[in-house]
Amino acid sequence: MPANASLFADSDGELAATLRLQFWSRFALSELTHHEWEALCDGCGSCCLIKYIDDDDAEAVVEYTDVTCQLMDCATGHCQHYATRQEYVPDCIQLTMENLPNMMWLPSHCAYKRLYKGQELPSWHLLLTGDAAHTEQQMRAANVGVAGRCVSEVGMADEEMEERVVTWVQP
């Protein structure tokens, strides 16, 4: 990554605004620009998986399935309509600084969760490597991401979803 700043493509493939140098370590999450906030996402797609959350106890128990939102392209692991997803799926959760404290069900590798908890980015994160191919390879090696191993919720009964709990996503 260049010493001064990095340019990233946003979800629509357009060039995002210039990101401040190492913004994730220099600024509080609440101080990030929209583009910096979006750049934290590693694109794993785990937040789009159907999950069961039992929060009756002091600490919530989360079970992820391999069933994903109807907008997910299961081959690539990317949302087909990210920028306008709530037009298609009105109850799609938009992760914000305000609701992040209530979303500790996010996977343990999630940059938002890690930074919120005072942890560092995973070593394979694109913001650290500056190399998308290397990051993708390292994510696969770390068993992170839904690409190639999820199925769409379209046409699936709730009972069938309940049988599809996986252990490859760690909250």
Side-chain angles (χ1 to χ4, degrees):
M1 201 181 302
N4 57 355
S6 169
L7 296 176
F8 284 78
D10 65 17
S11 61
D12 294 326
E14 296 177 15
L15 204 53
T18 301
L19 305 175
R20 294 176 288 184
L21 179 64
Q22 296 185 336
F23 65 87
W24 61 92
S25 63
R26 296 178 45 231
F27 301 96
L29 287 171
S30 60
E31 298 174 312
L32 301 184
T33 67
H34 172 75
H35 289 297
E36 290 169 343
W37 181 265
E38 290 292 320
L40 288 177
C41 179
D42 61 26
C44 75
S46 297
C47 58
C48 301
L49 293 171
I50 305 295
K51 60 201 83 44
Y52 299 102
I53 303 172
D54 178 5
D55 56 2
D56 291 340
D57 300 331
E59 188 157 326
V61 175
V62 182
E63 292 182 311
Y64 282 84
T65 70
D66 66 351
V67 181
T68 191
C69 167
Q70 62 184 320
L71 297 180
M72 179 64 70
D73 178 331
C74 288
T76 65
H78 296 120
C79 181
Q80 298 175 65
H81 299 285
Y82 182 76
T84 58
R85 66 193 181 280
Q86 290 175 316
E87 292 175 23
Y88 297 91
V89 181
D91 62 345
C92 177
I93 297 171
Q94 181 161 351
L95 180 60
T96 64
M97 185 56 216
E98 291 74 34
N99 64 14
L100 179 58
N102 298 319
M103 298 178 72
M104 290 300 104
W105 49 260
L106 289 165
S108 60
H109 66 268
C110 176
Y112 300 102
K113 179 178 180 175
R114 293 178 67 85
L115 293 176
Y116 178 79
K117 294 174 82 175
Q119 300 170 343
E120 295 184 9
L121 295 177
S123 62
W124 44 258
H125 199 286
L126 180 59
L127 290 170
L128 297 176
T129 70
D131 180 340
H134 178 72
T135 291
E136 187 176 316
Q137 180 184 48
Q138 292 300 307
M139 286 176 71
R140 276 195 305 274
N143 204 26
V144 171
V146 303
R149 57 182 178 174
C150 63
V151 296
S152 175
E153 69 180 336
V154 175
M156 191 173 296
D158 288 344
E159 298 78 28
E160 188 178 353
M161 285 184 212
E162 292 172 8
E163 300 297 318
R164 300 190 65 99
V165 171
V166 295
T167 57
W168 45 264
V169 181
Q170 298 298 314

